[in-house]
Amino acid sequence: MTAPDDDLPLAGTVVLLRPRPGGFEVLLLRRPSRGSFADAWVFPGGKVEPEDRRAGAADVEDARRAAARETAEEVGLVVDDLVPLSEWRPPAEAPVRIRTWFFLALAPDVEPSPAADEVVELAWVSPDTAFERHAAGEWRLFPPTWLTLHRLSAFTDVEAALASGGAVELFQTEVRDGGRAFGWAQGTLHAHTLPWRFDPA
């Protein structure tokens, strides 16, 4: 018997990493001011479409194909060797509920070319820089993006970050404290004031 959330629509997203002196950077893009992620900074990715599905394939494989396809469409980068990192399940209160797989990948050594209809701007930044811009109110981040950056910030280089993939973490999201916090088995993200704070379980 499957859990209700197992039947939710699927999506895949790619956390692209590239080395830089003293650490690494991730690729984030800002969505247009429409839709579920209006003006938010997110990783490239999108919903699983019929062309991504294969008969008998596991959900993670369909999501992997969608993540690679969307990354090529949105930022013009062809990525291989997508390593599963996490699966995010939305809270029951969410108006649109989509189950999303996050993958890690080493960025190809070419400059991204953003699709004008899907990307307002993009940036290569360290996790710490993303946090600074979010804390200053310059960037809008959603909890899965923020917490993924938070966990990646523990690593000192691309190799260590990529090695953290493979053992997939499940994040079953709960809304806590009247909507001012988000919780998972891993801990609680306090989001009522900037900067946000994560308390591990």
Side-chain angles (χ1 to χ4, degrees):
M1 184 175 181
T2 61
D5 283 355
D6 289 342
D7 297 325
L8 291 175
L10 288 172
T13 193
V14 182
V15 184
L16 286 166
L17 308 175
R18 75 174 185 184
R20 66 160 193 162
F24 63 91
E25 295 175 321
V26 300
L27 182 65
L28 288 167
L29 55 90
R30 183 162 68 88
R31 293 292 187 199
S33 55
R34 64 175 188 274
S36 302
F37 296 96
D39 288 318
W41 286 85
V42 299
F43 305 112
K47 291 171 64 175
V48 171
E49 302 292 350
E51 63 263 36
D52 304 314
R53 298 188 181 278
R54 302 289 185 275
D59 286 350
V60 64
E61 296 305 322
D62 291 343
R64 190 197 309 266
R65 281 184 286 272
R69 175 184 53 77
E70 289 280 353
T71 299
E73 292 175 1
E74 291 179 349
V75 296
L77 297 180
V78 177
V79 291
D80 300 306
D81 301 323
L82 274 63
V83 180
L85 178 66
S86 54
E87 179 192 353
W88 293 81
R89 299 189 177 201
E93 298 89 342
V96 178
R97 305 189 72 233
I98 298 174
R99 186 158 54 97
T100 304
W101 288 86
F102 279 50
F103 300 88
L104 286 175
L106 181 64
D109 190 20
V110 295
E111 286 301 314
S113 53
D117 60 333
E118 297 192 72
V119 181
V120 175
E121 59 181 312
L122 54 77
W124 286 104
V125 294
S126 68
D128 285 345
T129 297
F131 291 142
E132 289 168 5
R133 295 178 183 179
H134 178 255
E138 298 171 8
W139 280 17
R140 183 184 188 199
L141 297 176
F142 279 80
T145 306
W146 191 97
L147 193 52
T148 299
L149 290 168
H150 175 75
R151 294 174 95 74
L152 289 175
S153 69
F155 303 106
T156 57
D157 55 40
V158 166
E159 291 75 16
L162 287 172
S164 69
V168 177
E169 282 195 279
L170 173 63
F171 290 87
Q172 178 69 63
T173 308
E174 298 176 356
V175 176
R176 297 176 180 171
D177 194 19
R180 300 188 302 171
F182 300 90
W184 306 270
Q186 294 86 344
T188 300
L189 176 61
H190 300 276
H192 56 289
T193 59
L194 294 173
W196 289 359
R197 187 184 83 253
F198 181 70
D199 288 336

